[in-house]
Amino acid sequence: MEFKGAMGGLYRITEWISRIAFSNILWALCSIPFLFIAVTKMIMLGSGAGGPNEQITLNWVLGILAPFTVFPATAALFTVVRKWVMGNTDVSTFRTFFQGYKENYLKSMLGGGIYTLLTVIMYVDVTVYMTQMANFKIVGILMLVLMIILFVSMFNFFSIVVHYQMTFKEVVTNSILLTIARPIRVFSTLIGAAVLVYIGLRYPVLYAICIPTLVSMLAFFNFYATYNKLQEQVEKKKQEEELAALEAAEKEADDDDDQSEDESDKDLKRI
């Protein structure tokens, strides 16, 4: 039964709320080990419980868990929002999520390991150069910029993993290259994500309902817009090349005709 008017609008709104909330719940369930430690860490920080050693231990646990939990779950979430952004909103959220989880687990896990390792290394470098080596602060600033680029490239990483059939090396390489080549789109995603995270901090219940899914939708929307623009540029270049080849062929045919006419004139003169 299809509703029209105000009832139809209300029905579509509730339908989208349920889709987003359900996909968000699936993401949270697959990320439970990481989220449990992260929440524990925040509670300890807020209450002042535990010391520096406990916090460092929790950081290590988070770093170990992230590639095996959050990254595959996020890739699965991007699989779902990819369908929505591309206009296929009638797919089964549950089936699409776990299909994406299974198909992209290895790539997302390996990517998570690399991103986590590089982030830890760069974070340590930034901390050391900015706080303990005053003469090398410029190096610390450079490492901070690289760390930001690395972080925002994760948006492209997940989008490419679910949208293209590429090798793992190609996925990582193109994620970073696309971030550098199209920084405005990627950083607009970062700004939008920051706004959503801020809203989530004001109303924490939204993290359980919609924040991760909305961030994923925003990231893939910007990626897909970039993808379509690049496709248009490729098609335009291809058409220009075909047109140039056609003009060259026509010119060559005209030259051949002129040469044939000249030879015919010479033959007539001889006669």
Side-chain angles (χ1 to χ4, degrees):
M1 182 176 179
E2 184 178 352
F3 297 99
K4 296 182 179 180
M7 286 298 296
L10 181 62
Y11 173 77
R12 285 189 289 272
I13 290 173
T14 55
E15 187 178 33
W16 271 108
I17 291 174
S18 63
R19 284 174 183 160
I20 292 172
F22 184 53
S23 61
N24 212 76
I25 291 170
L26 292 176
W27 177 85
L29 288 174
C30 292
S31 305
I32 279 180
F34 179 90
L35 294 178
F36 176 77
I37 300 300
V39 171
T40 302
K41 177 179 172 63
M42 287 189 290
I43 292 174
M44 290 177 65
L45 284 173
S47 62
N53 291 334
E54 286 77 5
Q55 291 297 327
I56 293 174
T57 301
L58 290 177
N59 289 339
W60 276 107
V61 174
L62 289 173
I64 293 171
L65 289 175
F68 300 99
T69 56
V70 175
F71 276 80
T74 305
L77 185 59
F78 267 74
T79 304
V80 175
V81 301
R82 171 181 176 269
K83 297 287 187 180
W84 297 345
V85 172
M86 295 179 68
N88 191 0
T89 57
D90 295 327
V91 296
S92 169
T93 301
F94 184 87
R95 184 169 60 251
T96 304
F97 183 93
F98 283 104
Q99 182 180 356
Y101 190 91
K102 179 181 177 181
E103 291 177 352
N104 301 309
Y105 186 87
L106 182 60
K107 286 182 182 178
S108 56
M109 182 194 69
L110 293 175
I114 291 176
Y115 273 103
T116 302
L117 179 61
L118 291 177
T119 300
V120 170
I121 293 173
M122 290 182 179
Y123 176 77
V124 172
D125 287 343
V126 169
T127 303
V128 170
Y129 283 119
M130 297 293 285
T131 60
Q132 300 180 19
M133 302 178 69
N135 295 330
F136 293 92
K137 278 191 176 182
I138 187 66
V139 179
I141 294 173
L142 178 62
M143 294 301 296
L144 180 61
V145 172
L146 291 176
M147 188 166 68
I148 293 173
I149 293 174
L150 181 73
F151 175 76
V152 297
S153 72
M154 282 195 295
F155 293 121
N156 285 328
F157 171 80
F158 289 116
S159 298
I160 292 174
V161 163
V162 302
H163 194 66
Y164 289 107
Q165 292 296 327
M166 290 183 175
T167 63
F168 174 72
K169 182 179 179 180
E170 289 173 336
V171 170
V172 175
T173 302
N174 283 285
S175 300
I176 296 174
L177 290 177
L178 190 59
T179 302
I180 297 172
R182 293 288 188 272
I184 296 177
R185 279 284 183 181
V186 179
F187 279 94
S188 67
T189 301
L190 182 63
I191 293 171
V195 172
L196 289 172
V197 169
Y198 174 76
I199 295 173
L201 292 175
R202 298 290 301 273
Y203 307 99
V205 68
L206 292 179
Y207 279 108
I209 298 175
C210 63
I211 295 297
T213 303
L214 291 179
V215 171
S216 301
M217 289 181 68
L218 175 64
F220 190 83
F221 176 83
N222 277 332
F223 166 81
Y224 193 56
T226 302
Y227 167 80
N228 287 332
K229 188 173 182 179
L230 291 174
Q231 287 293 102
E232 290 176 1
Q233 292 175 352
V234 170
E235 289 295 326
K236 184 178 180 181
K237 185 176 180 180
K238 184 178 179 180
Q239 291 175 359
E240 290 175 351
E241 290 176 351
E242 290 177 350
L243 182 61
L246 181 61
E247 291 176 349
E250 291 177 350
K251 184 178 180 181
E252 184 177 355
D254 291 340
D255 292 341
D256 291 339
D257 290 340
D258 292 340
Q259 186 177 0
S260 299
E261 290 177 1
D262 292 339
E263 291 177 355
S264 298
D265 292 341
K266 289 179 182 179
D267 293 337
L268 289 172
K269 289 179 180 180
R270 290 173 186 171
I271 295 173

